[in-house]
Amino acid sequence: MTPQEHIQQLTEELNQHNYRYYVLAQPSISDFEFDQKLKELEALEHAHPEFKLPDSPTERVGGAITKEFANFTHVRPMLSLNNSYSRDEITEFDQQVMKLAGGKPYTYILEHKFDGVSLSLHYEQGQLVRAVTRGDGVAGDDITANAKTIPTVPLKLMGTGYPDQLEVRGEVVMPLVAFAELNQQREQEGLPLLANPRNTTAGTLKMQDSKAVAQREMTFYGYQLFTDDPITQTDEENFQLLASWGFKQSGADRTCQKLEDIFEYLSEWEEKRHDLPYEIDGIVIKVNELELRPEIGNTSKAPRWAIAYKYKAEDAVTKLESVSFQVGRTGKVTPVANLSPVLLAGTTVKRASIHNADEIGRLGLHEGDTVRVEKGGEIIPKITGVVLDSRNPEAKPIKFLTHCPDCGTELVREEGDANHYCPNTTSCPPQVKGRIIHFASRKAMDIDGLGTEIVNQLVDERLVSNYADLYDLTFEQLVSLERFAELSAQNLLAGIEASKEKPFAKVLFGLGIRFVGETVAKKLARHYGSITALGAASQEDLEQVPDIGGRIAERVVEFFEISDNRELLERLQQSGLRLEQEEKSTGSNALSGKSFVISGVFSSHSREEMKQMIETLGGEIKSSLSKKTHFLLAGENAGPSKLNKAQNLGITVISEEEFLHLINGMD
Ligand code: AMP
Ligand code: ZN
């Protein structure tokens, strides 16, 4: 086989595997094999760039930076859809269709109305040549480089029978799980949380760095086909064609004739939509016969042959009883709305989040207002508006506090930060309690028997006011407390004692330095090796550590500048906590310098055990993949986005078996 033939063969084969994985969810080779083949292809393409194909799977990693997206005028305007909210409106729609169809027979095709971002893909000779956003409907942005990173956007159509030129429209959505993971990660990193999957998708598609886009998991569902000359008679056939060319579909489309069938479908999905991996905000009902569509026609804004049935936004109207202010572990003050209990999406809601002072201002909240609450993708509902007609004219606007509700200290708000903070970190009760709770939590010191209630009790009884105090607690002190039996006192002391064995990285995470999450703590522990070395590091030093940015560095330096903190560390040291990276007494350093990302579940060990094995052997665990990651340890149900990213970045994917094999051969 010539290199050219080899490149061609690998490209086809890998694209096929990609399709089996992402579209069909039926992979037929192991990740490891895939990875090997991808590497082989990469090497060949590197040696013979002239033979690299436009649909090479190595294209999906992104890399292109777009300063400004080119404007592209749509071949056919991307219209909007008329909305309806009731069955009566659907009945009216059907009557109008009947009239406009002029007596010709017709059927309907029912589809999910994906709550995402629409995208128009252009193919020439089966190759993806362009991807354009909807824009204003007449012209949109050419975001081809970004669209290519989405694994379910075919770079080349599969099968045969496609005309030279065609356009496929569909929706890009972010799976709910991917959205939740993204926010979790952002929370750990101290970044503001994203509002919902749709806006996140829209924002992601417009990012300038296509590599960053490739890191976000998104799915494209194709639902509309345009060709210059008709090649099918119904939309149903189009769906089949699209599927045969490699497009992913919801699988929920149904054709029907009668209104009753439409209504049944609407009810069916009203329930089932909550179990979908993505959000839908309704159902689209379209005339199935393509020939009839131009006869029925469009208005300037929307087709007359289609209508969207929108599910009721899950919202409710209720009274704002009061706003309370909660102080968190970091001193951040969050306003919370207390509401008259109201039924919303099947649960009784009594509270809603209001993010910060700006949000109070934006909503223009007044005391006793009647407010509209909505349940979006988030768990806690939020206030979306005020019913002004119901406002008492005497009502006063809600003001943000000027002083901490718990300790009375004047709040501060830093330039450019939307949040207020109580600066009294040392003695503001919720901050004191929050820090100890965090210190004792499972991922930090994991102190058995020291949950929120006990911490509150210990602080309220003035037995402890910081985490160092925990190590001075005595049996006598504990048994003298209310509801504290001898056994629970002993258990707590044993738990505190055992925590002294926790590795340095856990202690460091437990200190609760802002932006120093689990992963950052591990990196810092590994890099500096001891609290003394870390405490001596300057801002510039810290910023040299891979993945440590300016904001983290600033907080670390700030932490060590506070003399109270240095005193606490001194006491922790005296109590015998590990403030140094322990030398590996057992095992080897066989994995030293190797970084791993773990995904999925394992059959022989828990994830935590796998992590520990790697770390004992000197390897490093990372939460997300980057070019520098060495291995993706993929168990069962490993995240497809991770696998794809690993493949794209050329990271070796190893299975549980391969991993165990690897380390057993090591010692
Ligand atoms: P609207 O944004 O309310 O005007 O609704 C029109 C939008 O619905 C289109 O631009 C598409 O992005 C979106 N949409 C979602 N699912 C479908 C579907 N199955 N068929 C057509 N449009 C859809
Ligand atoms: Zn306070």
Side-chain angles (χ1 to χ4, degrees):
M1 201 161 25
T2 65
Q4 185 175 15
E5 284 165 347
H6 200 180
I7 286 180
Q8 191 174 349
Q9 181 245 321
L10 279 171
T11 301
E12 272 169 30
E13 191 186 337
L14 288 168
N15 281 340
Q16 183 67 30
H17 287 307
N18 212 41
Y19 169 73
R20 293 193 62 93
Y21 192 99
Y22 286 102
V23 180
L24 303 180
Q26 285 167 0
S28 61
I29 59 166
S30 75
D31 305 333
F32 186 72
E33 279 172 281
F34 186 99
D35 195 52
Q36 296 302 313
K37 285 183 198 284
L38 191 72
K39 281 206 172 127
E40 201 180 343
L41 176 60
E42 250 167 6
L44 280 163
E45 286 178 348
H46 192 75
H48 309 279
E50 69 278 17
F51 299 141
K52 179 173 168 174
L53 294 163
D55 62 322
S56 169
T58 59
E59 277 285 286
R60 296 209 187 266
V61 290
I65 306 274
T66 319
K67 282 262 152 56
E68 208 169 312
F69 298 106
N71 203 256
F72 187 88
T73 304
H74 295 297
V75 184
R76 310 154 184 90
M78 286 178 89
L79 299 178
S80 149
L81 286 168
N82 287 322
N83 286 329
S84 61
Y85 300 88
S86 68
R87 296 182 175 205
D88 286 349
E89 286 171 274
I90 303 288
T91 310
E92 266 168 45
F93 163 75
D94 179 50
Q95 276 159 0
Q96 200 198 15
V97 168
M98 202 176 337
K99 211 159 61 200
L100 295 169
K104 293 196 184 121
Y106 60 90
T107 57
Y108 288 113
I109 184 156
L110 312 174
E111 305 165 18
H112 283 169
K113 186 172 192 303
F114 300 94
D115 200 5
V117 177
S118 51
L119 191 64
S120 155
L121 304 177
H122 299 204
Y123 289 86
E124 284 172 15
Q125 274 80 40
Q127 299 280 357
L128 174 71
V129 292
R130 202 176 297 106
V132 191
T133 62
R134 178 170 162 193
D136 61 4
V138 176
D141 289 327
D142 181 335
I143 56 152
T144 313
N146 289 347
K148 278 187 178 171
T149 68
I150 303 172
T152 38
V153 166
L155 302 178
K156 182 173 181 240
L157 301 180
M158 296 185 2
T160 50
Y162 42 78
D164 285 351
Q165 302 235 358
L166 61 90
E167 176 182 353
V168 175
R169 288 186 193 163
E171 204 86 353
V172 183
V173 298
M174 179 168 282
L176 291 167
V177 174
F179 176 72
E181 271 181 15
L182 181 62
N183 259 346
Q184 226 170 37
Q185 201 177 327
R186 290 176 71 90
E187 183 155 35
Q188 272 206 354
E189 290 165 14
L191 297 171
L193 298 189
L194 300 161
N196 60 51
R198 190 202 332 109
N199 293 358
T200 307
T201 307
T204 305
L205 289 177
K206 294 285 200 66
M207 294 200 296
Q208 293 180 331
D209 178 2
S210 58
K211 264 219 174 76
V213 180
Q215 318 267 312
R216 299 255 174 109
E217 183 179 339
M218 297 184 290
T219 313
F220 177 80
Y221 291 93
Y223 53 65
Q224 214 167 0
L225 169 67
F226 295 96
T227 53
D228 294 337
D229 301 308
I231 55 170
T232 49
Q233 267 151 19
T234 61
D235 222 7
E236 194 181 1
E237 287 172 68
N238 282 347
F239 270 95
Q240 285 160 8
L241 272 184
L242 289 176
S244 77
W245 294 339
F247 288 93
K248 190 176 173 85
Q249 292 175 345
S250 71
D253 326 304
R254 188 181 300 169
T255 52
C256 70
Q257 225 156 359
K258 291 186 297 213
L259 272 177
E260 289 150 48
D261 298 330
I262 298 181
F263 295 155
E264 194 188 299
Y265 186 88
L266 297 181
S267 316
E268 186 182 324
W269 283 104
E270 174 132 40
E271 291 293 319
K272 287 207 296 197
R273 71 189 167 120
H274 299 294
D275 306 326
L276 287 168
Y278 48 83
E279 287 186 318
I280 64 173
D281 59 344
I283 298 296
V284 188
I285 303 157
K286 298 174 182 169
V287 169
N288 190 23
E289 285 70 22
L290 301 174
E291 186 188 72
L292 278 180
R293 290 185 178 179
E295 287 182 36
I296 298 171
N298 302 324
T299 66
S300 61
K301 280 206 273 189
R304 287 200 170 91
W305 46 263
I307 195 163
Y309 176 82
K310 293 263 214 164
Y311 287 123
K312 273 193 266 52
E314 309 212 30
D315 73 348
V317 167
T318 187
K319 185 170 175 254
L320 175 67
E321 298 284 355
S322 63
V323 173
S324 39
F325 294 84
Q326 287 179 351
V327 184
R329 159 167 81 84
T330 58
K332 182 166 121 184
V333 184
T334 313
V336 177
N338 302 306
L339 308 166
S340 302
V342 62
L343 202 64
L344 176 59
T347 49
T348 304
V349 168
K350 290 185 215 138
R351 330 188 79 196
S353 60
I354 320 171
H355 299 290
N356 49 43
D358 292 347
E359 183 79 356
I360 296 182
R362 193 183 64 76
L363 291 165
L365 284 183
H366 281 54
E367 286 169 1
D369 265 349
T370 301
V371 294
R372 199 174 290 284
V373 283
E374 201 172 280
K375 207 159 196 174
E378 308 82 10
I379 296 139
I380 307 165
K382 60 173 182 228
I383 297 185
T384 55
V386 176
V387 184
L388 289 175
D389 292 347
S390 320
R391 178 176 290 163
N392 175 351
E394 322 263 89
K396 294 199 194 82
I398 302 267
K399 284 214 199 82
F400 206 90
L401 293 186
T402 53
H403 291 76
C404 176
D406 291 282
C407 73
T409 309
E410 192 173 350
L411 300 179
V412 294
R413 180 177 183 175
E414 273 169 37
E415 188 72 28
D417 191 340
N419 299 309
H420 287 73
Y421 286 88
C422 165
N424 175 16
T425 49
T426 41
S427 55
C428 178
Q431 294 189 61
V432 168
K433 289 173 181 169
R435 272 200 306 274
I436 301 173
I437 291 164
H438 170 75
F439 182 80
S441 68
R442 210 169 42 77
K443 287 183 166 178
M445 302 303 276
D446 195 16
I447 302 180
D448 258 347
L450 194 56
T452 307
E453 268 179 53
I454 305 286
V455 171
N456 289 343
Q457 193 181 5
L458 294 176
V459 174
D460 291 341
E461 298 286 341
R462 300 184 183 280
L463 287 184
V464 296
S465 60
N466 56 56
Y467 33 68
D469 289 344
L470 292 172
Y471 296 91
D472 297 338
L473 281 172
T474 64
F475 181 75
E476 288 69 36
Q477 283 177 322
L478 290 178
V479 282
S480 72
L481 292 177
E482 214 176 305
R483 285 178 318 213
F484 241 100
E486 289 194 5
L487 188 64
S488 43
Q490 267 160 11
N491 284 345
L492 178 54
L493 289 174
I496 292 173
E497 190 59 30
S499 73
K500 294 180 181 171
E501 293 307 311
K502 288 283 167 195
F504 174 42
K506 300 255 178 195
V507 184
L508 185 53
F509 172 58
L511 298 180
I513 304 171
R514 192 121 60 100
F515 303 141
V516 178
E518 237 187 325
T519 328
V520 170
K522 278 185 193 159
K523 281 188 187 132
L524 291 174
R526 198 168 284 277
H527 190 89
Y528 288 99
S530 73
I531 201 82
T532 323
L534 177 64
S538 67
Q539 166 101 16
E540 296 77 54
D541 271 352
L542 283 155
E543 285 182 37
Q544 297 306 313
V545 182
D547 303 323
I548 305 297
R551 286 184 333 145
I552 301 176
E554 212 172 291
R555 294 299 176 180
V556 172
V557 170
E558 191 183 272
F559 180 86
F560 286 97
E561 273 169 359
I562 297 171
S563 63
D564 283 346
N565 289 337
R566 286 203 305 272
E567 200 177 301
L568 284 178
L569 290 171
E570 187 82 10
R571 288 178 59 201
L572 292 180
Q573 185 117 46
Q574 275 159 18
S575 302
L577 273 75
R578 300 199 168 176
L579 295 174
E580 274 177 26
Q581 193 85 330
E582 57 281 23
E583 288 304 318
K584 299 271 169 331
S585 50
T586 57
S588 63
N589 265 335
L591 296 180
S592 142
K594 298 281 181 241
S595 56
F596 288 76
V597 168
I598 301 188
S599 183
V601 292
F602 302 93
S603 51
S604 61
H605 298 272
S606 71
R607 260 171 94 113
E608 198 50 44
E609 285 167 346
M610 291 300 240
K611 273 190 184 177
Q612 271 167 17
M613 273 192 263
I614 292 171
E615 287 178 340
T616 317
L617 288 169
E620 197 184 349
I621 306 286
K622 306 230 173 192
S623 65
S624 63
L625 292 162
S626 76
K627 271 211 306 264
K628 293 190 199 127
T629 314
H630 295 97
F631 295 101
L632 173 64
L633 175 53
E636 223 166 304
N637 300 324
S641 71
K642 284 215 171 107
L643 287 167
N644 192 43
K645 202 169 22 160
Q647 285 155 15
N648 289 337
L649 293 172
I651 294 162
T652 309
V653 180
I654 52 173
S655 68
E656 174 173 6
E657 222 172 282
E658 285 158 350
F659 172 73
L660 295 173
H661 191 71
L662 180 80
I663 62 168
N664 285 333
M666 262 173 180
D667 289 289

